[in-house]
Amino acid sequence: MGKQAARLFGLPLLRVSLRTGNFNEARRRLVDNLDWVQELIEAPDLEAMGTVLDVRLQAYVGRGSPADERLLAERCAFEHEVRRFLTRAQERGYAYAMHFPQMPTLWVDFVNQNKAAETSIARLNVRRSYEAGRREATEATKEGWASEPKAALPARRDGFDPVAMIDRLVQDAVAQRVAQLVPANVAPLRRPSHRSRLLPRLSRPTPTIRPRAIPIACPRCYGNFCGRPAESASTR
């Protein structure tokens, strides 16, 4: 850059990212960026530079969001230079908002369009890569370079419940452990049948209680239990 442009930018060189590693594509993108780069370099002061940027912002926002990576690279490079202009204007106390009242609104719309374009283009590139991989796999299978993909196993009709299977395994293990602990000569407890549980309690036979003979101390034997029948009050 010239001395005057270098003083405005604060740099001896103007660096622009072309966002590509392909040499042929980089030359095309460089030619697309030369128009606005030359206008910025020839601007004598911040007001002239702001005029160039304001006109370019109106044109870019009017076109809408870019549809390919080449236009997106041009807009991203221009976005970087607008940021640099805003920084230099604030450092030098230049009130660009008074001279260009539409620039703040245009700047926000311009950045939002670039962000939306980056997201959509990245999603489109992923889809293209996926489709290219599918075509290559199909071609390799037809030519015999790769083995044919195995068919998926048919789904089982009966539903498989892992929780129920775990419960059955636990119950079997507990039953085996209990059988080892219980002696062989002890008969296992029988659970009452469903029918016996439904019978009323009155139909079951009630156990009979037999009175037990209580020995009475004999007065003749000085309180010893001799086995003689006790005398009644009349005999005494």
Side-chain angles (χ1 to χ4, degrees), residues 97-150:
M98 297 179 59
H99 298 276
F100 311 102
Q102 296 181 356
M103 181 176 288
T105 305
L106 293 173
W107 167 246
V108 173
D109 296 340
F110 178 73
V111 173
N112 292 336
Q113 289 178 356
N114 293 345
K115 291 181 179 180
E118 287 181 354
T119 304
S120 60
I121 291 175
R123 187 184 300 109
L124 183 61
N125 289 338
V126 172
R127 186 177 302 175
R128 288 175 179 173
S129 300
Y130 176 74
E131 294 297 334
R134 289 186 57 185
R135 288 194 299 268
E136 292 178 358
T138 304
E139 183 180 357
T141 303
K142 290 182 180 180
E143 297 294 336
W145 301 338
S147 59
E148 296 183 1
K150 297 182 180 180

Side-chain angles (χ1 to χ4, degrees), residues 5-229:
R7 287 195 302 268
L8 290 176
F9 283 92
L11 297 172
L13 297 175
L14 180 62
R15 299 180 181 273
V16 176
S17 176
L18 300 177
R19 299 168 62 93
T20 182
N22 189 346
F23 179 73
N24 294 329
E25 180 65 22
R27 290 192 304 174
R28 295 188 182 95
R29 296 183 183 184
L30 179 61
V31 173
D32 295 338
N33 293 328
L34 284 179
D35 293 338
W36 61 265
V37 168
Q38 190 67 28
E39 293 178 355
L40 292 180
I41 292 176
E42 295 177 354
D45 52 11
L46 290 176
E47 185 175 358
M49 186 180 297
T51 302
V52 173
L53 297 177
D54 186 63
V55 173
R56 286 281 180 175
L57 281 175
Q58 294 180 11
Y60 281 131
V61 173
R63 296 174 188 172
S65 182
D68 55 3
E69 295 184 0
R70 185 177 300 176
L71 294 176
L72 179 60
E74 177 183 351
R75 291 170 63 106
C76 289
F78 184 77
E79 177 183 342
H80 182 69
E81 298 306 321
V82 175
R83 292 180 185 274
R84 183 180 298 176
F85 166 77
L86 297 178
T87 303
R88 299 295 295 177
Q90 292 179 357
E91 291 177 354
R92 299 191 177 188
Y94 178 71
Y96 66 91
M98 297 179 59
H99 298 276
F100 311 102
Q102 296 181 356
M103 181 176 288
T105 305
L106 293 173
W107 167 246
V108 173
D109 296 340
F110 178 73
V111 173
N112 292 336
Q113 289 178 356
N114 293 345
K115 291 181 179 180
E118 287 181 354
T119 304
S120 60
I121 291 175
R123 187 184 300 109
L124 183 61
N125 289 338
V126 172
R127 186 177 302 175
R128 288 175 179 173
S129 300
Y130 176 74
E131 294 297 334
R134 289 186 57 185
R135 288 194 299 268
E136 292 178 358
T138 304
E139 183 180 357
T141 303
K142 290 182 180 180
E143 297 294 336
W145 301 338
S147 59
E148 296 183 1
K150 297 182 180 180
L153 296 177
R156 297 180 58 180
R157 295 183 179 180
D158 52 341
F160 175 71
D161 190 1
V163 178
M165 184 189 69
I166 294 174
D167 291 341
R168 289 196 298 270
L169 293 176
V170 172
Q171 292 176 2
D172 295 342
V174 171
Q176 294 178 3
R177 184 61 177 171
V178 171
Q180 294 176 0
L181 296 177
V182 176
N185 55 359
V186 178
L189 297 177
R190 296 182 58 184
R191 298 180 59 185
S193 61
H194 181 70
R195 182 178 179 182
S196 62
R197 288 198 298 259
L198 295 179
L199 293 176
R201 295 182 179 271
L202 296 178
S203 62
R204 300 179 183 178
T206 58
T208 58
I209 303 175
R210 296 180 181 179
R212 184 179 178 182
I214 302 174
I216 302 175
C218 180
R220 299 180 183 179
C221 300
Y222 302 99
N224 297 328
F225 296 93
C226 60
R228 297 178 183 179

